[in-house]
Amino acid sequence: MISGVFRVRRWAPVGVFTSLAYCLHQRRVARAELRGADDQKAVDRSLLELKMVQVVFRHGARSPLKPLPQEEQVEWKPQLLEVPPQTRFDYTVTNLAGGPKPHSPFDSRYHETTLKGGMFAGQLTKVGMQQMFALGERLRKKYVEDTPFLSPTFNPVEVFIRSTNIYRNLESTRCLLAGLFQRQKEGPIVIHTDEASSEVLYPNYQNCWNLQERARGRRQSLALQPGISEDLEKVKEGMGITSGDGVDFLILFDNVAAEQVHSLPSCPTLRRFARMIERRAVDTVLYILQSEDRKRLQMAVGPFLHILESNLLKATDPATPPGKTRKLYLYAAHDVTLMPVLMALGIFDHKWPPFAVDLTMELYQHRESKEWFVQLYYHGEINPYILKIPPPPKQPLGLCSPIA
């Protein structure tokens, strides 16, 4: 329950928060709560007017991306792909300029892997569709019913939608919109996507040479890290998997998470070590990304953070013409997007982002002082820390641009 009056520590003026991209420059996001006289200051919730919402979310539950090399495998049957009627909602996919939908090399690759039971790798399931519909309903309750901010039916003037060009993300977005607007619309739903070569909604290792080179050495030395290598061998030995098969904690956790959310029978060894596998999967990502390495995080998610920052700046700039901003921005992303974004913001909880999780950013203006405030939510929960971010960069960020 959120009370009518918010402590200052829960709100950050946009003059402090304004650049999500530049938060990677010079210092990390401050997580310490304000103390002293400032801590006694409060912001009256009734004087804050909601102006814009940005939601970055992970797709819903899916099949694993790569099966484990063992004789006894979980069956992924096509019945898991049944589409719930309440999630049906027509949409169109275009490139960022409004042209034809780009080719998806990822979907082509997933279709090369058929899992036991007949499903392809990485397919959104009925469970995933229901998760996304539920997220849409939660957003509807907050921004349509509890606070009359959005229209009850989809209006393209109010909503901008962008997704990675991967089918499970496009379909997850459809389900979210069906829940949010109860399958009612006043205009066409257009989901914007980009070419894989220039996509910024995930760390683009394949098309960012600097990021790829920085990660390659870390991946090669990962097996030598004390604790990680021993734990990996323990799990693989229990499953009867040989050492040189390319299985790591990321693949193990991907299978564990997918099987658990669908209530499918996992290998006994996977069930026994499930918590350790998740912890080591997170350790693996932290090691590869080097969360303390400012430049690596910049190249991983700096361009995407700049997009979020630009939306904030446009909304707060009195010179922005009417109609150039939207009330709601939706970004369908991935776990590998959210982890470095949360690290950059200083709010990563060292837990793997679950399916259908969301990071929501609300922009408010004080009716009297005209100051701007930002509130963050992760997984529907308020972030209790004030976020201090230096002034924004003068130049926009490209796909592989570190911040100077």
Side-chain angles (χ1 to χ4, degrees), residues 212-225 229 248 284 287-288 296:
Q212 188 179 86
E213 285 300 300
R214 285 172 179 265
R216 179 178 291 125
R218 302 290 288 183
R219 285 182 180 274
Q220 291 173 347
S221 61
L222 180 63
L224 303 177
Q225 297 308 301
S229 56
D248 57 19
T284 298
Y287 181 78
I288 293 173
R296 191 166 308 208

Side-chain angles (χ1 to χ4, degrees), residues 91 211 296 334:
Y91 66 91
L211 186 61
R296 191 166 308 208
H334 302 265

Side-chain angles (χ1 to χ4, degrees), residues 50-55 143 149 327-329 360-362:
L50 183 60
K51 292 292 188 179
M52 186 180 76
V53 177
Q54 299 187 88
V55 183
Y143 300 117
F149 177 65
K327 286 187 173 183
L328 176 65
Y329 291 82
T360 297
M361 189 179 312
E362 298 176 341

Side-chain angles (χ1 to χ4, degrees), residues 316-364:
T316 59
D317 186 354
T320 301
K324 290 298 182 181
T325 60
R326 310 289 177 91
K327 286 187 173 183
L328 176 65
Y329 291 82
L330 295 173
Y331 295 97
H334 302 265
D335 47 5
V336 294
T337 312
L338 284 162
M339 291 177 79
V341 166
L342 294 171
M343 291 176 202
L345 295 175
I347 58 174
F348 183 53
D349 59 6
H350 287 77
K351 296 179 182 178
W352 199 276
F355 295 118
V357 73
D358 68 295
L359 173 65
T360 297
M361 189 179 312
E362 298 176 341
L363 176 67
Y364 289 84

Side-chain angles (χ1 to χ4, degrees), residues 145-398:
E145 298 172 0
D146 294 349
T147 301
F149 177 65
L150 295 173
S151 300
T153 60
F154 175 83
N155 186 339
V157 175
E158 293 185 347
V159 186
F160 175 82
I161 312 161
R162 178 168 174 178
S163 169
T164 58
N165 189 23
I166 298 176
Y167 191 60
R168 65 174 174 271
N169 275 44
L170 298 173
E171 288 289 273
S172 290
T173 305
R174 165 182 65 80
C175 297
L176 183 153
L177 291 168
L180 174 55
F181 296 107
Q182 298 297 292
R183 302 174 63 198
Q184 302 297 314
K185 58 181 180 177
E186 297 179 4
I189 295 176
V190 178
I191 302 177
H192 301 81
T193 64
D194 199 4
E195 299 280 354
S197 60
S198 51
E199 183 59 82
V200 299
L201 296 192
Y202 49 72
N204 206 320
Y205 289 96
Q206 299 302 316
N207 296 285
C208 178
W209 185 87
N210 287 333
L211 186 61
Q212 188 179 86
E213 285 300 300
R214 285 172 179 265
R216 179 178 291 125
R218 302 290 288 183
R219 285 182 180 274
Q220 291 173 347
S221 61
L222 180 63
L224 303 177
Q225 297 308 301
I228 293 181
S229 56
E230 289 84 354
D231 285 346
L232 181 59
E233 287 307 311
K234 183 190 303 181
V235 176
K236 291 168 70 173
E237 182 179 347
M239 297 179 65
I241 298 176
T242 59
S243 305
D245 50 25
V247 173
D248 57 19
F249 277 116
L250 299 181
I251 296 173
L252 288 171
F253 180 68
D254 187 63
N255 279 266
V256 170
E259 291 166 6
Q260 286 184 343
V261 76
H262 293 96
S263 301
L264 295 175
S266 294
C267 161
T269 301
L270 285 181
R271 290 199 302 271
R272 185 166 69 252
F273 292 113
R275 289 188 179 181
M276 182 260 277
I277 290 172
E278 178 180 2
R279 176 168 51 84
R280 287 307 189 186
V282 171
D283 290 343
T284 298
V285 172
L286 291 175
Y287 181 78
I288 293 173
L289 277 177
Q290 279 185 289
S291 58
E292 301 299 322
D293 183 344
R294 175 177 61 86
K295 289 187 177 180
R296 191 166 308 208
L297 283 178
Q298 290 164 3
M299 287 185 287
V301 290
F304 179 40
L305 289 173
H306 180 71
I307 291 174
L308 300 177
E309 171 220 3
S310 296
N311 294 338
L312 284 177
L313 295 178
K314 286 180 184 177
T316 59
D317 186 354
T320 301
K324 290 298 182 181
T325 60
R326 310 289 177 91
K327 286 187 173 183
L328 176 65
Y329 291 82
L330 295 173
Y331 295 97
H334 302 265
D335 47 5
V336 294
T337 312
L338 284 162
M339 291 177 79
V341 166
L342 294 171
M343 291 176 202
L345 295 175
I347 58 174
F348 183 53
D349 59 6
H350 287 77
K351 296 179 182 178
W352 199 276
F355 295 118
V357 73
D358 68 295
L359 173 65
T360 297
M361 189 179 312
E362 298 176 341
L363 176 67
Y364 289 84
Q365 187 175 30
H366 197 283
R367 289 186 173 91
E368 295 179 354
S369 69
K370 302 305 178 184
E371 289 181 294
W372 294 90
F373 296 83
V374 166
Q375 173 69 66
L376 288 181
Y377 294 82
Y378 178 59
H379 212 354
E381 297 181 359
I382 296 177
N383 168 42
Y385 299 102
I386 197 165
L387 302 174
K388 297 181 180 179
I389 299 180
K394 295 181 180 179
Q395 299 297 327
L397 299 174

